[in-house]
């Protein structure tokens, strides 16, 4: 069983437990459920290069990256650095994150926040809105065609933007939906966790202009971003490069300043 398959299997079990402990009616009564959302797409369109800076404590491939800092300090640092938005990894079992991280990041910032999660059930989309997300990640590799349509349309109805992540041309063809705002090319093979930015380059030509192109994973230099920008990418999701530093916000600031 691949790492991705293990995560998805666990996630289905986790969601069923959450449905019992925190029913949808409770989520819908959250103050944040009716709060206006911020557009990550618009934030990325306003700048030549948009950095989505990620909070990630650990991963199955890298183990602990940085678990000694407060998420609210990192969030404030990312916003001050000029990031277009922030990605918050909320998976606990494999990545060490939580929904509390999302709440804390939301409480101290005003820029768009993407909830990065392995979404396998509509419940998680409602949950994302209740905890203050502005956008959600959907992964084509773990969802059927009907689920991609259903989930993205549900997100749209809740005023949540959708970043749909793909890894190959077959997944990309399934992802071209009017209810999707941004298309993310994950340079990491989720079965082997190997990384190559050639994935973004190869798939870029098949993405229609109406979608914002975002490159994810393996982006660790300004030169890489400048190269990918020539392929039409407007957004770049960067986590480990910032999180492995003692001061992720300052590292992000230095990195972003080199882009302009």
């Amino acid at each position: 069983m691949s790492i991705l398959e293990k995560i998805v299997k666990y996630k289905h079990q986790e969601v069923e437990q959450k449905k019992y402990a925190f029913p949808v009616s409770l989520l819908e009564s959250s103050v944040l459920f009716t709060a206006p959302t911020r557009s990550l797409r618009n934030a990325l369109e306003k700048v030549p290069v948009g950095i989505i800076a990620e909070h990630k404590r650990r991963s199955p491939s890298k183990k602990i990256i940085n678990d000694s800092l407060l998420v609210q300090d990192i969030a404030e640092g990312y916003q001050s650095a000029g990031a277009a938005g922030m990605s918050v990894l909320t998976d606990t079992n494999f990545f060490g994150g939580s929904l509390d991280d999302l709440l804390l990041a939301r409480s101290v910032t005003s820029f768009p926040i993407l909830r990065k999660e392995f979404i396998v059930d509509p419940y998680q989309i409602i949950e994302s809105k209740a905890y203050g997300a502005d956008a959600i990640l959907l992964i084509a590799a773990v969802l059927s065609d009907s689920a991609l349509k259903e989930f993205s349309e549900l997100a749209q109805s809740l005023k949540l933007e959708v970043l749909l992540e793909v890894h190959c041309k077959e997944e990309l063809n399934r992802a071209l939906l009017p209810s999707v705002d941004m298309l993310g090319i994950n340079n990491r093979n989720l079965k082997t966790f190997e990384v190559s930015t050639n994935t973004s380059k190869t798939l870029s030509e098949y993405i229609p202009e109406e979608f914002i192109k975002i490159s994810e994973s393996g982006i660790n230099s300004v030169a890489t971003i400048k190269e990918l920008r020539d392929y039409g990418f407007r957004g770049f999701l960067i986590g480990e490069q910032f999180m492995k530093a003692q001061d992720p916000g300052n590292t992000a600031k230095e990195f972003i300043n080199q882009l302009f």
Side-chain angles (χ1 to χ4, degrees):
M1 187 180 292
S2 71
I3 294 174
L4 179 60
E5 289 169 333
K6 289 179 182 178
I7 292 173
V8 170
K9 180 180 179 181
Y10 182 87
K11 196 59 59 176
H12 279 289
Q13 297 169 348
E14 180 183 75
V15 170
E16 289 307 310
Q17 293 172 354
K18 282 188 171 184
K19 286 180 180 178
Y20 178 78
F22 301 97
V24 167
S25 59
L26 191 60
L27 294 175
E28 291 177 338
S29 66
S30 161
V31 172
L32 290 173
F33 191 78
T34 55
T37 52
R38 303 152 178 84
S39 174
L40 179 59
R41 179 188 175 112
N42 288 349
L44 293 171
E45 287 179 326
K46 289 178 180 178
V47 291
V49 178
I51 300 299
I52 304 170
E54 186 162 88
H55 177 265
K56 177 168 66 174
R57 291 188 177 87
R58 58 182 171 90
S59 74
S61 61
K62 296 290 184 179
K63 304 305 178 184
I64 294 176
I65 300 170
N66 191 333
D67 63 355
S68 63
L69 304 176
L70 297 176
V71 63
Q72 54 266 44
D73 291 341
I74 295 172
E76 289 180 323
Y78 282 161
Q79 180 165 279
S80 296
M86 180 177 181
S87 167
V88 177
L89 239 159
T90 60
D91 172 79
T92 302
N93 197 53
F94 296 91
F95 291 87
S98 73
L99 282 163
D100 285 342
D101 291 337
L102 183 59
L103 278 177
L104 288 168
R106 174 77 293 147
S107 69
V108 296
T109 62
S110 59
F111 63 177
I113 296 181
L114 167 75
R115 181 192 182 189
K116 193 173 184 183
E117 178 59 90
F118 296 84
I119 290 180
V120 297
D121 191 285
Y123 174 91
Q124 293 165 285
I125 301 174
I126 297 170
E127 181 183 61
S128 300
K129 186 68 167 68
Y131 277 81
D134 301 296
I136 60 166
L137 176 76
L138 296 180
I139 304 173
V142 304
L143 297 172
S144 66
D145 288 357
S146 59
L148 287 176
K149 184 175 186 296
E150 176 192 353
F151 290 11
S152 59
E153 289 180 351
L154 172 59
Q156 191 177 57
S157 73
L158 295 174
K159 308 300 182 185
L160 293 171
E161 292 184 335
V162 174
L163 168 59
L164 207 163
E165 176 181 295
V166 303
H167 305 81
C168 62
K169 191 170 185 295
E170 179 186 3
E171 291 176 3
L172 177 57
N173 290 337
R174 298 170 50 224
L176 303 179
L177 301 169
S179 45
V180 169
D181 302 281
M182 298 158 283
L183 279 172
I185 308 300
N186 194 338
N187 300 307
R188 187 184 305 278
N189 184 316
L190 288 185
K191 294 182 179 179
T192 65
F193 270 59
E194 295 177 351
V195 178
S196 172
T197 55
N198 286 331
T199 306
S200 283
K201 297 173 187 176
T202 300
L203 295 181
S204 63
E205 64 177 297
Y206 303 109
I207 302 178
E209 290 186 2
E210 60 263 32
F211 296 98
I212 295 290
K213 298 180 187 178
I214 296 176
S215 185
E216 311 170 26
S217 299
I219 301 169
N220 52 25
S221 72
V222 171
T224 298
I225 286 184
K226 289 181 177 179
E227 186 178 11
L228 289 172
R229 184 168 55 185
D230 292 338
Y231 286 82
F233 286 92
R234 297 288 296 274
F236 302 88
L237 196 153
I238 303 176
E240 185 180 339
Q241 180 68 15
F242 300 151
M243 285 299 299
K244 67 184 181 182
Q246 188 57 40
D247 187 342
N250 188 60
T251 301
K253 183 177 181 178
E254 292 175 354
F255 189 94
I256 291 170
N257 286 343
Q258 294 178 62
L259 293 171
F260 304 102

